[in-house]
Amino acid sequence: MAHVVADLLSDTVTKPTPAMRQAMARAEVGDDVFGEDPTLRTLEERVAGLLGHEAGLFTPSGSMANQLGVRLHAGPGVELIADSLAHVVRAELGAAAALSGITSRTWVAEAGRFRAEDATSLMITGVGPYQVCTGVVVVENTHNFGGGTVQSLEEIRAAREATRAAGVAMHLDGARLWNAHVATGVPLEDYGRAFDTVSVCLSKGLGAPVGSVLVGSSEAIAEARVWRKRFGGGMRQAGILAAAGLYALDHNIERLRDDHERAHRAAEAIAEAAPGSLDPDSVQTNILIADVSAAGWSAADFVAAALDAGVRLYAVGAAKVRFVWHLDVDDAATDHAISVVRDLMLLRTRERTVQGRTGR
Ligand SMILES: Cc1ncc(COP(=O)(O)O)c(C=O)c1O
């Protein structure tokens, strides 16, 4: 494997910086299962405050924060509904069913874009002898497999009104809510208050090595604390991880703007090299998904060829490739990635032109 110059596999690949490690080393810690870790308490309170909720709970992963969130609003024989590309239904290994007996139904959303009507028309409420009951609607913002899509607050609020009237809860998978906030300027609190529970990740674009936080009412979070222990997520001196999260909140939110700009610059170059592969205007945050079949490639071959040239990418299905910017990919690495991807795209286009001319 070639030396990786631009690791665009995911924003989860970041490594803690020396300054973040120093903050971790200095952290005051205690046994959190006994509620004695002061740094963890500080992080939980801070994130809850940022999102306009009463309380927060640190978890080892975004998946656990999501699974605790949905567990609070649904249980065996009750369903969650979400779009078909949502992380909670597509990439958490069936955890809602495996751990909580929750069934899932989905709607199809173009680029993962949330529309209130899609969700509310799917809800089933009222107890009947045949139909499953909807416990919770899950919204993902930004939307990972949709291509970093930012959700409309208006649509979220419309859904909130309808779900509240129907007695259905709303959970936000806000693994990358920070990116939505930076891209739109919408306060985190405005997004947060539109949901019963919200999960956010510190280990994606914010660059912490581990950790997510679930926020909600004091009562909901007290219950989540019990479920977290049942799920095996009770931690001891985890303040050392919380310190990385606090450092990330202090230093790494506003800089997400740089990731968005780099993603947009790359999107323009890719669209120019391979028209039809993506619309640069659809790239709103740090993720772009390109249809490499527009340049005659399969996703798997493109990813392998890019890796040989030092660019690590992720194949999403047969024809699409995902690129994710983060704090370990600077301008120089972005330039390298753009030049490699442009060459690969143009290579196939040239090969096809030659084949067309020679009839082969
Ligand atoms: C949108 C979204 N939600 C949740 C998660 C889960 O996070 P974790 O990998 O920490 O379980 C991810 C991970 O990439 C994600 O992209």
Side-chain angles (χ1 to χ4, degrees):
M1 186 176 103
H3 169 64
V4 175
V5 179
D7 195 345
L8 299 166
L9 183 74
S10 172
D11 47 9
T12 57
V13 302
T14 55
K15 304 213 171 87
T17 58
M20 183 180 275
R21 285 170 191 252
Q22 274 171 20
M24 295 171 78
R26 279 197 303 267
E28 256 188 76
V29 296
D31 188 331
D32 183 53
V33 172
F34 292 110
E36 289 172 358
D37 191 306
T39 312
L40 212 48
R41 266 320 70 69
T42 303
L43 175 71
E44 289 170 342
E45 282 167 18
R46 176 141 171 220
V47 175
L50 282 174
L51 294 165
H53 281 263
E54 285 173 356
L57 181 72
F58 185 73
T59 61
S61 69
S63 300
M64 187 183 280
N66 278 341
Q67 291 306 322
L68 290 173
V70 299
R71 187 66 189 78
L72 294 176
H73 311 303
V78 176
E79 70 173 6
L80 70 81
I81 56 174
D83 79 272
S84 62
L85 293 176
H87 196 279
V88 74
V89 291
R90 187 182 190 266
E92 294 178 15
L93 297 165
L99 303 178
S100 300
I102 297 170
T103 59
S104 300
R105 270 185 315 130
T106 58
W107 67 87
V108 174
E110 175 72 26
R113 202 165 293 116
F114 180 73
R115 292 188 325 145
E117 167 69 14
D118 291 335
T120 56
S121 61
L122 212 59
M123 287 190 307
I124 299 174
T125 54
V127 182
Y130 303 115
Q131 291 187 317
V132 65
C133 219
T134 307
V136 58
V137 173
V138 181
V139 180
E140 189 172 311
N141 193 15
T142 66
H143 200 293
N144 179 352
F145 295 109
T149 314
V150 176
Q151 308 298 3
S152 142
L153 191 56
E154 235 172 57
E155 291 290 332
I156 291 169
R157 284 181 172 155
R160 174 67 164 178
E161 221 170 278
T163 52
R164 187 178 277 141
V168 171
M170 282 185 52
H171 172 76
L172 172 62
D173 176 352
R176 296 182 183 79
L177 190 65
W178 322 104
N179 297 80
H181 159 65
V182 166
T184 58
V186 170
L188 288 164
E189 196 177 328
D190 287 7
Y191 284 125
R193 282 189 195 277
F195 293 87
D196 297 281
T197 48
V198 181
S199 64
V200 286
C201 289
L202 303 159
S203 61
K204 310 283 182 304
L206 295 197
V210 178
S212 294
V213 180
L214 176 75
V215 304
S217 67
S218 301
E219 201 184 340
I221 294 303
E223 195 185 338
R225 200 171 286 279
V226 172
W227 279 104
R228 184 186 66 174
K229 188 77 169 74
R230 287 190 180 127
F231 285 172
M235 290 165 283
R236 304 297 176 173
Q237 289 71 25
I240 204 161
L241 302 174
L246 287 165
Y247 181 92
L249 293 175
D250 286 337
H251 296 92
N252 293 343
I253 296 181
E254 282 308 316
R255 66 146 306 283
L256 292 172
R257 210 176 297 286
D258 299 343
D259 298 339
H260 299 180
E261 279 167 18
R262 288 174 183 135
H264 195 74
R265 185 154 66 83
E268 286 185 330
I270 293 170
E272 196 187 319
S277 58
L278 84 162
D279 170 6
D281 290 339
S282 70
V283 176
Q284 296 175 285
T285 58
N286 64 326
I287 300 178
L288 79 79
I289 294 181
D291 182 346
V292 292
S293 69
W297 286 89
S298 73
D301 286 352
F302 191 89
V303 166
L307 187 58
D308 275 345
V311 180
R312 198 152 75 122
L313 304 172
Y314 181 75
V316 191
K320 292 188 175 168
V321 173
R322 189 186 69 177
F323 301 61
V324 188
W325 271 262
H326 51 77
L327 89 179
D328 289 353
V329 179
D330 59 11
D331 277 331
T334 302
D335 290 342
H336 178 78
I338 290 174
S339 129
V340 165
V341 168
R342 195 196 275 137
D343 285 353
L344 290 175
M345 298 277 195
L346 293 174
L347 175 76
R348 273 293 155 90
T349 311
R350 271 198 299 271
E351 278 173 4
R352 284 191 301 178
T353 314
V354 171
Q355 277 166 9
R357 276 205 213 107
T358 58
R360 283 193 299 131

